[in-house]
Amino acid sequence: MRSAPVKNNNQVRQQSAVKAISLVIPFLTMPVYAATESGDSELPLQKTEATQDKDSTTKNKIIAATDPKLSADNSVFELGEIVVTATPGGTMNSRDILSSVDIMNADKIENQNVLTSFDLMHRMPGVQITQFNQGTTTGKFSFRGFNGEGYVNGVKLLIDGIPSNTNDGNMPFIDALFPLDIESIEVVRGTNDPRYGLHAIGGNANINTYSGGNYAKGRVSYGSFDTHDVQSGVGYEKNGFSQNYAVSYRASNGYRDHASSDKNSFSGKWAYTPGDEKYSLGLSARWSDAQAKEPGYLTLKEQSISRTQSMPRNATDGGKRQVGQISGHLDVNLTDELFWSTKSYANTYDDNRFVKYYESFIQQERITEELQYGGITSLTYRPEVSWLNDFSLESGFDFQQQDNKSDRYRTINTVRIPNKHIRDQNFNFLVYGGYLQAVIKPTKWLKITPGFRADRIDGDFVSHRASSGAEKYLSAKVNNYGTIWQPKIGAVITPIDGYSLYGNWGRTFQVAVGASTYKGVPTAPDTQPSINEGWEVGVKMKPVDWLEGRVAYWRQDATNESSRDLLSADNSSIPVGATKRQGVDVQTKVNPIEAVSLWATYSLQEAIVTKAPVGGTYKYKKGNQVFNTPDYLFSAGIDYQITQAFKSSLWTTGQGDYYANSANSGGQFGEYALLNLDLGYQLTKQVDLQFQVKNMVDAQWEYVWYEGAPEPLFSPGDGRAFYGSVNVKFDL
């Protein structure tokens, strides 16, 4: 087939970059493009106590969320010290979503020693952590029966309200975050949040960084495997103008041989709010650069000889990764009842990786380049309705345009083999959609949240692939997915103080990723989106001030689910069939005395195929479990304030076992339980010392990959490790 003319890739990316910057910088003129993957408002009146300052123009007072009036009619479960604004304002946020919402605050985050910030999710209820431990490909988190393998990515990630998934749903943008810069992490599990569309199959997670305040803080750490990091942050706010900066660096030799890595990150946030607080302007930028060696996977025999070794076949495996984000924000109080929020953004992702999975495999060089730009807008109306206890209505619209490039070469010790350019793809992808969400409170004891969302997909695809000197060319348009309708509703009943019964129902969607998003054969029927229909019922209890708990049962049923084929040279997906996911989540917090706090979470879950795909030689059969989905997850701990200056936390986290391939053959793997100890001593008002032991009992645990491999392959997790750090913080 004759090759069609295609622009030079550098020209395409330069033109796309110019377009992205033109969308981000002049965000004052966004109404036409403004669009919604809405995040929480960045107006200063949304600040927490951590960023409040006596010189701030912010007028809203901050009060503790222990006030029962604030938590009587929601389904939110929080870890750490809690402070929220006393009065509602701005856009709707996760507290308005009547689903299983979990929030982890700064005091549970900033002192943790983690290689990548997704490790912070170990403490979050019902969250599965999948750790590949392979260079820059460190791992990810997931929940609601969606595994973290990368085959079906079911979690929408946002950073300060900005969409932060790659095209395939992975989460490398989290690399740019260090714990000291994170103020809170919010996780919404379920299908009834209408604010987000693409990738929000099982829910969403929003990581909020510090905004505003007057402070200077830093952290220096050193520990096992020659791990060392330096984190710093500065915030300054005066006369309505605020600026925040964070600069961090981390390096480690790694638990295994040939596993050294280093990463640096910079971020800056600038905002202006006039004295009358009618509007707020903001600009945010973030950049991270990382490089690492990969120790590779071990066979069972190799792992039994040494868990820390790296085989000669992986001697040149490794990679480099750069991620960047820039966004502009405009929030306006149009009237006392009407609030408008707009964001525009651009994300860039460049990844270069050399990897060899197995002795008989050939090393590959994998290059991924993505440029994303988009806009988000929402209009929130909070009138006083005399015959309702409370009412608010929000509408929003969002879009994201992606320009993507994916290349793969066969290599020998990082040297490309002639005529082995096995993937050469350029594709663009556009998703846009809107939503409407209402919060209706007809009585003090009843709240209802009806809503709906609709999305559409567009784009085109070009593949050039050289084979034996002859060039192949394929051009394709996106499958006609039509308008993807997603109705949703939730309700909470508070019959008596301290007890809330909640339930929700909703639909989310999945479309294939990579080349399978597009129609390679023009005469073939269009692939339809996979529709997830989910529901949940639960009860949140706080009968007394020192005891709080939540129990929920949930279920999600999906039609024609698809899964990435990670070994495919064509960047394609394969059908899984119809699936059912269901589970039970139990969470509790107990404060029997002021100095002691106990917390525990336990989740039972299953993900099975209810109708196998028709035709082909697919390994999934009816009744098979979706692989790499453990049957239970747990975390628990006890925090003890030994003296006014000395505190401790002993906590554990773990999961059950799982099948490692779609055929459910070869046995089950992956079960583990880790015990960790955190100690802290407040030396002075400005200086505190931290000591941590991770995996105290030196448990053996690993990630196992078997889908497409001749035998199960193991990536051992870290053994016992010790870390010490010095933290300083000054109020300016």
Side-chain angles (χ1 to χ4, degrees):
M1 189 176 202
R2 194 171 127 190
S3 173
V6 177
K7 292 181 180 180
N8 177 275
N9 187 59
N10 289 332
Q11 293 175 335
V12 173
R13 292 185 63 79
Q14 289 169 4
Q15 293 171 3
S16 298
V18 171
K19 184 188 290 187
I21 293 171
S22 69
L23 281 170
V24 172
I25 300 303
F27 52 87
L28 291 174
T29 59
M30 277 293 294
V32 175
Y33 288 99
T36 146
E37 299 272 2
S38 98
D40 295 348
S41 166
E42 295 218 349
L43 274 174
L45 42 75
Q46 301 279 347
K47 292 178 186 174
T48 67
E49 192 172 55
T51 58
Q52 191 84 348
D53 180 77
K54 63 182 180 180
D55 295 327
S56 171
T57 58
T58 303
K59 298 176 182 178
N60 280 25
K61 294 182 179 180
I62 307 301
I63 65 173
T66 51
D67 185 339
K69 294 179 182 178
L70 294 178
S71 56
D73 59 354
N74 64 44
S75 54
V76 179
F77 196 86
E78 301 206 32
L79 293 174
E81 296 179 4
I82 308 166
V83 284
V84 296
T85 52
T87 56
T91 60
M92 292 184 184
N93 56 47
S94 59
R95 295 177 184 274
D96 297 307
I97 307 301
L98 302 181
S99 187
S100 290
V101 179
D102 300 284
I103 301 175
M104 183 163 60
N105 294 295
D107 62 307
K108 297 295 183 185
I109 297 172
E110 59 190 4
N111 294 325
Q112 292 298 306
N113 278 292
V114 293
L115 182 63
T116 305
S117 288
F118 76 83
D119 278 328
L120 297 168
M121 294 289 184
H122 271 297
R123 287 181 179 240
M124 294 294 277
V127 175
Q128 176 187 348
I129 305 297
T130 302
Q131 293 183 302
F132 306 124
N133 300 311
Q134 297 296 321
T136 57
T137 307
T138 51
K140 67 171 71 69
F141 65 90
S142 56
F143 46 76
R144 286 289 160 100
F146 290 92
N147 65 38
E149 280 257 309
Y151 288 89
V152 182
N153 295 307
V155 178
K156 179 80 171 184
L157 175 66
L158 302 107
I159 299 175
D160 290 328
I162 299 300
S164 301
N165 297 85
T166 50
N167 173 266
D168 56 15
N170 278 309
M171 305 174 180
F173 292 103
I174 206 170
D175 286 356
L177 300 177
F178 280 71
L180 196 66
D181 191 36
I182 298 175
E183 186 173 26
S184 66
I185 300 174
E186 302 177 1
V187 171
V188 179
R189 290 175 285 163
T191 58
N192 71 312
D193 187 347
R195 297 174 297 168
Y196 313 119
L198 184 68
H199 302 311
I201 311 170
N204 61 81
N206 192 4
I207 302 177
N208 301 299
T209 63
Y210 280 96
S211 296
N214 289 277
Y215 62 86
K217 58 184 179 180
R219 174 181 172 89
V220 178
S221 303
Y222 184 80
S224 297
F225 326 125
D226 194 27
T227 301
H228 49 282
D229 72 21
V230 179
Q231 303 177 48
S232 63
V234 177
Y236 184 70
E237 182 175 356
K238 188 175 183 180
N239 298 326
F241 180 70
S242 68
Q243 45 190 323
N244 297 80
Y245 304 94
V247 180
S248 300
Y249 173 80
R250 181 179 179 90
S252 176
N253 284 339
Y255 170 65
R256 296 178 58 196
D257 299 336
H258 193 67
S260 61
S261 64
D262 64 84
K263 176 175 66 174
N264 57 69
S265 174
F266 164 81
S267 67
K269 299 173 76 172
W270 305 266
Y272 175 72
T273 306
D276 60 7
E277 298 186 343
K278 287 293 186 180
Y279 66 89
S280 178
L281 300 172
L283 180 67
S284 176
R286 182 171 288 109
W287 180 263
S288 177
D289 184 274
Q291 57 185 349
K293 298 177 181 179
E294 292 194 22
Y297 290 89
L298 303 174
T299 65
L300 180 61
K301 181 179 180 180
E302 291 166 346
Q303 182 181 239
S304 66
I305 297 172
S306 172
R307 295 175 59 83
T308 61
Q309 69 173 324
S310 176
M311 304 307 294
R313 61 178 175 267
N314 304 115
T316 58
D317 286 2
K320 298 180 180 181
R321 174 179 293 174
Q322 293 180 335
V323 297
Q325 295 183 297
I326 184 171
S327 60
H329 310 257
L330 170 62
D331 295 334
V332 183
N333 286 311
L334 298 174
T335 69
D336 290 342
E337 299 176 337
L338 197 61
F339 179 83
W340 178 45
S341 177
T342 291
K343 298 179 176 69
S344 56
Y345 65 91
N347 299 331
T348 179
Y349 169 61
D350 291 284
D351 188 80
N352 190 305
R353 182 188 185 195
F354 292 91
V355 60
K356 182 175 181 177
Y357 289 106
Y358 192 70
E359 187 66 51
S360 61
F361 289 11
I362 298 175
Q363 187 189 57
Q364 289 186 9
E365 179 185 8
R366 299 181 172 185
I367 302 172
T368 303
E369 299 175 4
E370 296 191 15
L371 176 64
Q372 307 173 351
Y373 46 91
I376 300 165
T377 195
S378 64
L379 193 64
T380 308
Y381 182 45
R382 301 180 186 272
E384 289 190 12
V385 181
S386 59
W387 46 276
L388 290 175
N389 192 272
D390 191 19
F391 176 79
S392 57
L393 182 68
E394 182 170 287
S395 63
F397 180 77
D398 63 84
F399 79 96
Q400 183 180 92
Q401 174 72 50
Q402 302 176 6
D403 293 323
N404 305 315
K405 179 174 176 59
S406 180
D407 274 300
R408 287 190 180 182
Y409 299 85
R410 288 179 179 161
T411 58
I412 297 176
N413 295 327
T414 72
V415 178
R416 294 175 182 175
I417 302 173
N419 299 320
K420 293 299 180 180
H421 191 177
I422 58 176
R423 181 189 295 178
D424 183 4
Q425 298 176 349
N426 294 77
F427 53 99
N428 62 69
F429 179 88
L430 171 66
V431 56
Y432 57 95
Y435 72 92
L436 185 66
Q437 170 81 68
V439 177
I440 306 168
K441 196 171 181 181
T443 68
K444 180 181 178 181
W445 53 269
L446 174 63
K447 182 192 285 187
I448 307 169
T449 58
F452 77 89
R453 182 178 178 89
D455 288 277
R456 291 188 66 88
I457 308 293
D458 200 359
D460 54 64
F461 172 90
V462 174
S463 174
H464 291 278
R465 192 173 72 186
S467 178
S468 301
E471 188 175 58
K472 294 183 177 180
Y473 174 79
L474 172 66
S475 177
K477 298 294 290 183
V478 74
N479 282 293
N480 182 10
Y481 293 108
T483 301
I484 307 171
W485 298 98
Q486 303 147 72
K488 303 163 189 287
I489 191 169
V492 60
I493 300 172
T494 310
I496 57 176
D497 289 344
Y499 295 86
S500 295
L501 306 174
Y502 68 95
N504 59 73
W505 173 90
R507 287 178 178 168
T508 57
F509 75 95
Q510 177 207 23
V511 295
V513 298
S516 292
T517 313
Y518 307 89
K519 197 172 178 178
V521 181
T523 57
D526 289 294
T527 301
Q528 296 302 303
S530 171
I531 301 299
N532 267 255
E533 184 170 306
W535 58 271
E536 177 182 11
V537 291
V539 57
K540 180 186 173 186
M541 301 161 286
K542 192 172 184 181
V544 291
D545 289 341
W546 53 270
L547 175 62
E548 184 176 1
R550 188 177 69 193
V551 179
Y553 171 76
W554 57 270
R555 175 168 169 168
Q556 283 188 223
D557 293 275
T559 61
N560 61 295
E561 186 173 307
S562 65
S563 169
R564 292 176 65 208
D565 185 353
L566 298 183
L567 294 179
S568 167
D570 297 324
N571 195 16
S572 60
S573 300
I574 57 176
V576 175
T579 61
K580 178 181 72 175
R581 292 174 170 85
Q582 62 181 344
V584 177
D585 299 328
V586 181
Q587 300 159 233
T588 186
K589 290 190 298 184
V590 183
N591 297 89
I593 58 176
E594 186 176 353
V596 177
S597 175
L598 299 94
W599 51 274
T601 72
Y602 188 83
S603 298
L604 284 171
Q605 62 178 19
E606 73 168 359
I608 61 173
V609 176
T610 56
K611 183 179 179 181
V614 178
T617 58
Y618 308 118
K619 297 178 182 179
Y620 271 122
K621 306 298 180 184
K622 181 178 179 180
N624 280 19
Q625 293 183 21
V626 178
F627 63 88
N628 284 85
T629 304
D631 48 12
Y632 67 85
L633 305 163
F634 72 89
S635 62
I638 177 170
D639 302 335
Y640 179 31
Q641 189 77 37
I642 302 170
T643 68
Q644 189 173 1
F646 188 31
K647 62 181 179 180
S648 64
S649 179
L650 182 67
W651 59 284
T652 182
T653 183
Q655 67 178 37
D657 53 17
Y658 51 77
Y659 288 106
N661 61 7
S662 54
N664 287 187
S665 62
Q668 293 183 292
F669 308 91
E671 187 175 34
Y672 70 82
L674 304 178
L675 185 64
N676 310 287
L677 175 66
D678 301 344
L679 300 174
Y681 184 76
Q682 193 74 41
L683 194 63
T684 68
K685 182 181 177 180
Q686 292 82 22
V687 180
D688 68 269
L689 309 177
Q690 297 285 330
F691 177 72
Q692 296 180 335
V693 186
K694 303 182 76 172
N695 191 7
M696 285 181 64
V697 299
D698 203 22
Q700 294 189 357
W701 60 299
E702 59 274 321
Y703 161 72
V704 181
W705 179 66
Y706 192 14
E707 183 73 356
E711 61 180 306
L713 298 178
F714 299 79
S715 179
D718 290 358
R720 184 188 296 114
F722 302 89
Y723 301 95
S725 63
V726 179
N727 305 307
V728 296
K729 183 173 182 180
F730 297 91
D731 295 325
L732 302 180

